[in-house]
Amino acid sequence: LASPRHVADMQQAVNPFFIVLFTPILVWLWSLLRKRGKEPSTPIKLSAGMLLTAVAFAVMMFAGRLGGDVGKVSVSWLILSYAIITLAEICLSPMGLSLANKLSPPRMRGFMMGCWFAATSIGKYLAGFIEKNADPHHILQGMGELLDDKQKAWVKNSLKKELLMLKSYAQS
């Protein structure tokens, strides 16, 4: 019945579990901040979601490097990455839908929300296409070796700006 081996299919339950776990916590946090007059704006929440997504991928890149040539690492790295990316998803998706609803003319709100879901679908399709056609040799080299100095500087400056924006918000 029960196998000591980890079943890969069980990973499909991790993301929904974290959504159920984290959603009430974030709703409580946003409500608490709203009561104190310090609720982050929609762009700040979206930025936090994007930053968390980058952190989740950095966790996986670090785990991949730990695997060395064999590539075997603990499943805990994947679960940690799922936890972080789920937090990002909770920051991004509801805020994006809300923004699409707020900024759209009343007669186009449903259409624009549909565009939000269509963009998500297209993004997931493109991610699968890229993954299928990517050269594993380049992926294993890591991001630092794929970027030239100009690109590395751009990423570094972008992250600095993002962190400064979040820091200035936290201080206000």
Side-chain angles (χ1 to χ4, degrees):
L1 295 173
S3 170
R5 289 185 41 183
H6 177 77
V7 180
D9 293 348
M10 292 181 68
Q11 290 302 318
Q12 296 301 315
V14 173
N15 182 256
F17 169 77
F18 283 134
I19 289 173
V20 170
L21 178 70
F22 293 146
T23 298
I25 295 169
L26 281 177
V27 168
W28 171 81
L29 177 66
W30 299 145
S31 299
L32 180 69
L33 291 173
R34 186 181 318 117
K35 287 177 187 173
R36 294 183 179 177
K38 295 192 176 220
E39 181 181 16
S41 65
T42 299
I44 295 291
K45 290 177 185 176
L46 290 169
S47 297
M50 289 182 217
L51 185 62
L52 285 169
T53 301
V55 169
F57 282 99
V59 165
M60 291 305 292
M61 186 175 75
F62 181 74
R65 291 205 179 264
L66 286 178
D69 292 337
V70 179
K72 290 185 178 181
V73 294
S74 170
V75 73
S76 300
W77 289 102
L78 182 61
I79 292 170
L80 175 62
S81 182
Y82 272 146
I84 295 168
I85 211 156
T86 301
L87 280 170
E89 179 184 352
I90 295 169
C91 290
L92 283 169
S93 190
M95 295 301 109
L97 280 171
S98 173
L99 195 59
N101 189 38
K102 286 179 191 174
L103 298 178
S104 300
R107 291 177 35 189
M108 294 190 66
R109 286 186 180 150
F111 174 75
M112 294 310 289
M113 291 174 83
C115 288
W116 173 268
F117 287 117
T120 301
S121 176
I122 291 167
K124 289 181 179 183
Y125 173 80
L126 290 174
F129 178 80
I130 291 168
E131 187 276 333
K132 184 175 90 175
N133 294 300
D135 180 3
H137 175 70
H138 290 293
I139 293 171
L140 293 175
Q141 286 180 344
M143 209 47 159
E145 296 175 16
L146 292 175
L147 302 176
D148 62 27
D149 290 336
K150 186 176 178 181
Q151 291 168 324
K152 288 178 190 175
W154 182 85
V155 169
K156 185 177 177 181
N157 288 334
S158 297
L159 288 174
K160 279 184 183 178
K161 289 176 188 176
E162 183 86 22
L163 291 173
L164 284 174
M165 183 174 68
L166 291 171
K167 185 178 177 183
S168 68
Y169 171 76
Q171 292 174 347
S172 63

